[in-house]
Amino acid sequence: MKQVINETTIKFWSRSANEGFARVTVAAFIAQLDPTVEEVSDVKTAISEAVTNAIIHGYECRPGIVTIKLKLFQDGVEISVSDKGAGIEDVDLARKPLYTSKPDLERSGMGFTVMESFMDKMRVSSKPRKGTTVRMFKNFKSIHRRFH
Amino acid sequence: MQVKFYKNDKCLIAKMIGELDHHSASKVREKIDFEIVSSSCKTLILDFSEVAFMDSSGIGVVVGRYKNVTKMNGNIFVSNVSEKIRRIFEMCGVFKLVPELEKSDENILLAGGTI
């Protein structure tokens, strides 16, 4: 078992203004591991996608609470973004590049693809009408380089 | 996010300043679409030089403007795309629809020339 060296939970309303809040808060928390600018930027992009999904798909722009849990390890960060909203009927379909259930909103259907490509691991668990949790892990390779 | 417009009789440049995410996208869309309709320019250039952050919402903004501009028989380009933003555009082939404009070509268009 890897040792958790720090942990925090952030909860906020499902308002789109909080997408930026989530990005900078997560960036500030992971800064203590001293990742590179590129690694921070990758995490911010993935967070932005996950929080946007929670707001527009999970809560369908209605009021709700988005929860972000962050766990820091020696070599990276584990992030989970959860909502208690609509849930996803078919997770495999939702994860397909270019698939979107909301083409009318000019959504590109690339959210999960971006998360997958900017993070090292991503898992989606969802139950219709119960909500969705996206778990992601980002390994900070810059840390390995410093210690080895 | 702020959008600054520069135009001559041929082209309209929309320079976005700040963070382009789902929150800012709807305002950006509205402002650019208003300018497209109210100017008579046939060429739209989306300038990313001052975009500090962008997620996949930016794809929707670019592809949505592509649809609107081509409906009016116009052209659309993106310019000054950073490596971070390029990676997101390349994931779903945005450049196949909306080509990237070289700085030199942007200057020619701004000066009223054609490329």
Side-chain angles (χ1 to χ4, degrees), chain B residues 10 36 40-44 65-76:
Chain B
K10 286 194 182 113
I36 294 173
S40 53
C41 309
K42 280 278 177 217
T43 302
L44 171 67
R65 304 298 67 68
Y66 162 81
K67 286 180 184 160
N68 291 351
V69 167
T70 46
K71 246 182 257 165
M72 299 160 74
N73 296 317
N75 307 307
I76 177 168

Side-chain angles (χ1 to χ4, degrees), chain A residues 16-17 19 23 41-42 45 48-49 52 56 98 105-108 110 114 117-118, chain B residues 19 21-23 29 53-57 59-61 64-65 84 87-88 91-92:
Chain A
S16 66
E19 292 156 10
R23 289 196 296 271
S41 159
D42 289 354
T45 310
S48 200
E49 301 292 351
T52 302
I56 61 181
L98 302 172
L105 293 181
E106 284 192 0
R107 302 301 308 168
S108 62
M110 292 299 287
V114 168
S117 121
F118 282 62
Chain B
E19 307 205 314
D21 60 5
H22 158 247
H23 178 65
R29 259 197 285 278
F53 173 86
M54 190 195 85
D55 63 17
S56 70
S57 309
I59 299 171
V61 170
R65 304 298 67 68
K84 272 183 275 180
R87 194 170 153 200
I88 293 175
M91 265 179 205
C92 64

Side-chain angles (χ1 to χ4, degrees), chain B residues 7-8 14 20 23 36 38-39 46 50 52 59 63 68 72 77-78 80-81 90 94 101 103 106-107 109 114-115:
Chain B
K7 59 187 159 186
N8 56 35
L20 181 53
H23 178 65
I36 294 173
S38 57
S39 75
L46 299 171
E50 304 278 323
I59 299 171
V63 175
N68 291 351
M72 299 160 74
F77 299 95
V78 288
N80 302 310
V81 179
E90 278 176 347
V94 168
L101 197 62
K103 192 80 206 154
E106 189 180 335
N107 290 336
L109 284 172
T114 45
I115 53 166

